[in-house]
Amino acid sequence: MNENYSRRYGYGLTSVDLSEMRARFRAVVQAPELPELHQAAVLSSCDVPRLIAEVERVAMRYADLVAACRAGIFFAIENGDADWLGSWQFVLDELPPAPVSHPMSCRPPSSEGGDD
């Protein structure tokens, strides 16, 4: 793997240790009395900005992955890979549908030999 990539993004999906956040959330759910509930809720709410930032980071990585998959598919199509559909079928199954107006919307070439 590219060293710069691994330094920039890391190997794992998330860079946030969720165990401490889970513990603070469980403290809210399991608080026996109102004072403990209030204290646990305040402590747990401090995790929200970091969680939002992490969700945004993962969403951006997902968008990059979708774009890279579409680029790979269209590279295979444009370069005449005869088995592009077979080799990219699993990726195509998982990609979200591209808007029709999107320049990289994934449409297999017509096999009917119509006027293109």
Side-chain angles (χ1 to χ4, degrees), residues 23-35:
R24 284 189 287 271
F25 178 74
R26 284 189 191 114
V28 172
V29 175
Q30 298 171 349
E33 300 290 327
L34 193 57

Side-chain angles (χ1 to χ4, degrees), residues 28 31-41:
V28 172
E33 300 290 327
L34 193 57
E36 290 86 1
L37 173 64
H38 182 265
Q39 180 182 8

Side-chain angles (χ1 to χ4, degrees), residues 32-88:
E33 300 290 327
L34 193 57
E36 290 86 1
L37 173 64
H38 182 265
Q39 180 182 8
V42 169
L43 288 175
S44 183
S45 69
C46 294
D47 294 327
V48 171
R50 189 167 179 204
L51 287 170
I52 290 171
E54 185 65 10
V55 167
E56 290 172 347
R57 187 188 69 79
V58 171
M60 287 189 314
R61 287 190 63 196
Y62 177 75
D64 289 346
L65 182 60
V66 168
C69 288
R70 286 195 178 129
I73 290 167
F74 287 100
F75 181 82
I77 292 169
E78 291 295 317
N79 287 307
D81 182 1
D83 191 33
W84 75 268
L85 186 58
S87 55
W88 286 92

